[in-house]
């Protein structure tokens, strides 16, 4: 594959979808699909760091996913706890900083403790930032940002600009995603980073998440490198700020 270093996305976000269908296809329980999904997370995190991606955001569990049977949500929560525990040494080895975003209410204390430990342990790593969205939803993020902005500015004399507001989102200080990948063929955003994805390039692939590997990731990067991002301008004015 040819390298387009200059057109590499700085921030890639992924809606990791298709674990259940992968399991069904292999005549297994849905939870086995989620277990295989963790393998894909490891491969893609390493691949992204190798490629020189600065930020990788992974949608691991949505606020809406609580609507699944308890057996599945319990299994997903304990998988996330285990994965954080098992993968932290790999993050250290690869010099990757890990952050989490999402509503911490209703997450069990065990998980919160693991998340905090992982963030603390990897805080000084600087090769890539991995952001894992757990109990996240884009609408939740916007509402919590509005709430905090109002709480912290009781006199309401703040400058209500996009930059100022962005500072209250879960992604404060993190650039908006340049590329969003969704696996499994579904073509929707499913309440992921709604504000942040205003100008993100969208890439959909039929590959199910547990099968998603480095060559699939590279195909997405290749597609991105061939996109022309106009941000509402026309070709001849693209370089005019
Ligand atoms: C994605 O796979 C994982 C989560 C949403 C937690 P799914 O579990 O949604 O898999 P499908 O869409 O049913 O195949
Ligand atoms: C989106 O996948 C959420 C995550 C990948 C965590 P879903 O499978 O939950 O989304 P829908 O229901 O197909 O929109
Ligand atoms: Mg799904």
């Amino acid at each position: 594959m040819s390298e387009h270093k200059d057109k590499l996305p700085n921030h890639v976000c992924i809606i990791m979808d298709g674990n259940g269908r992968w399991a069904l296809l292999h005549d297994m329980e849905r939870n086995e699909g989620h277990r295989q999904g963790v393998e894909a997370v490891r491969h893609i995190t390493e691949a992204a760091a190798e490629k020189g991606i600065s930020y990788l955001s992974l949608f691991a569990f949505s606020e809406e996913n609580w609507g699944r049977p308890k057996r599945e949500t319990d299994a997903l929560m304990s998988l996330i706890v285990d994965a954080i525990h098992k993968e932290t040494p790999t993050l250290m080895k690869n010099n990757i900083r890990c952050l989490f975003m999402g509503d911490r209410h209703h997450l069990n204390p065990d998980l919160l403790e693991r998340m905090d430990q992982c963030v603390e342990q990897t805080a000084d790593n600087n090769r890539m930032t991995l952001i894992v969205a757990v109990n996240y939803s884009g609408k939740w993020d916007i509402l919590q940002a509005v709430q905090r902005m109002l709480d912290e500015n009781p006199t309401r004399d703040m400058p209500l600009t996009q930059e100022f507001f962005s500072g209250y989102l879960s992604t404060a200080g993190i650039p908006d995603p340049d590329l969003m990948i969704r696996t499994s063929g579904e073509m929707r955003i499913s309440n992921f980073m709604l504000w942040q994805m205003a100008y993100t390039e969208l890439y959909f692939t039929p590959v199910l998440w547990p099968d998603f590997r480095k060559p699939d990731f590279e195909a997405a990067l290749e597609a991105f490198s061939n996109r022309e991002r106009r941000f509402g301008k026309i070709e001849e004015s693209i370089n005019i700020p």
Side-chain angles (χ1 to χ4, degrees):
M1 193 195 104
S2 59
E3 290 288 338
H4 302 264
K5 190 77 187 166
D6 55 329
K7 286 193 81 180
L8 198 65
N10 187 36
H11 183 175
V12 179
C13 66
I14 307 184
I15 301 181
M16 311 183 288
D17 198 11
N19 296 353
R21 276 162 285 167
W22 183 93
L24 196 69
L25 213 63
H26 292 81
D27 210 14
M28 292 171 178
E29 289 263 333
R30 289 183 59 84
N31 290 340
E32 191 52 41
H34 297 314
R35 244 187 299 283
Q36 291 300 321
V38 177
E39 295 297 311
V41 169
R42 182 184 315 116
H43 283 276
I44 298 312
T45 302
E46 287 199 336
E50 271 171 34
K51 286 276 156 192
I53 303 297
S54 302
Y55 298 90
L56 177 69
S57 306
L58 302 177
F59 202 3
F61 191 92
S62 75
E63 208 176 12
E64 291 80 11
N65 288 149
W66 290 116
R68 298 185 181 199
K70 188 169 183 300
R71 198 163 56 101
E72 181 166 344
T73 57
D74 281 352
L76 275 164
M77 287 299 138
S78 59
L79 253 184
I80 297 172
V81 172
D82 282 0
I84 296 170
H85 180 64
K86 283 200 203 115
E87 299 308 325
T88 304
T90 321
L91 296 175
M92 293 307 293
K93 189 189 85 192
N94 288 309
N95 194 14
I96 297 168
R97 171 172 75 132
C98 188
L99 302 174
F100 293 90
M101 63 177 184
D103 189 353
R104 291 170 64 96
H105 300 106
H106 315 300
L107 290 183
N108 84 46
D110 214 31
L111 174 57
L112 291 173
E113 198 185 319
R114 283 275 159 84
M115 282 164 43
D116 294 343
Q117 276 170 1
C118 178
V119 170
E120 202 180 311
Q121 214 180 323
T122 62
D124 294 330
N125 294 346
N126 57 17
R127 186 167 166 224
M128 184 179 83
T129 299
L130 172 69
I131 304 133
V132 185
V134 181
N135 196 17
Y136 180 85
S137 94
K139 289 187 178 180
W140 163 83
D141 200 1
I142 292 168
L143 283 184
Q144 70 76 29
V146 170
Q147 186 69 63
R148 283 201 303 128
M149 184 178 70
L150 295 178
D151 289 350
E152 290 179 24
N153 298 276
T155 56
R156 305 228 178 144
D157 54 358
M158 70 278 187
L160 193 43
T161 61
Q162 295 184 15
E163 287 69 28
F164 186 78
F165 177 73
S166 296
Y168 290 94
L169 291 165
S170 304
T171 46
I174 295 167
D176 287 345
D178 302 290
L179 170 66
M180 187 282 273
I181 301 172
R182 183 170 186 150
T183 58
S184 89
E186 304 297 352
M187 296 193 197
R188 53 179 169 264
I189 292 174
S190 297
N191 210 353
F192 199 24
M193 296 192 262
L194 298 180
W195 172 281
Q196 298 90 333
M197 284 210 274
Y199 256 108
T200 301
E201 293 294 326
L202 308 181
Y203 178 86
F204 299 98
T205 169
V207 177
L208 301 174
W209 178 251
D211 289 330
F212 197 77
R213 289 294 180 269
K214 191 176 175 188
D216 305 300
F217 186 66
E218 286 173 335
L221 297 182
E222 176 73 20
F224 176 83
S225 75
N226 292 318
R227 301 268 179 100
E228 183 184 57
R229 303 184 78 190
R230 286 191 288 275
F231 299 99
K233 300 175 183 180
I234 60 170
E235 198 177 359
E236 63 194 61
S237 68
I238 278 172
N239 292 321
I240 303 171

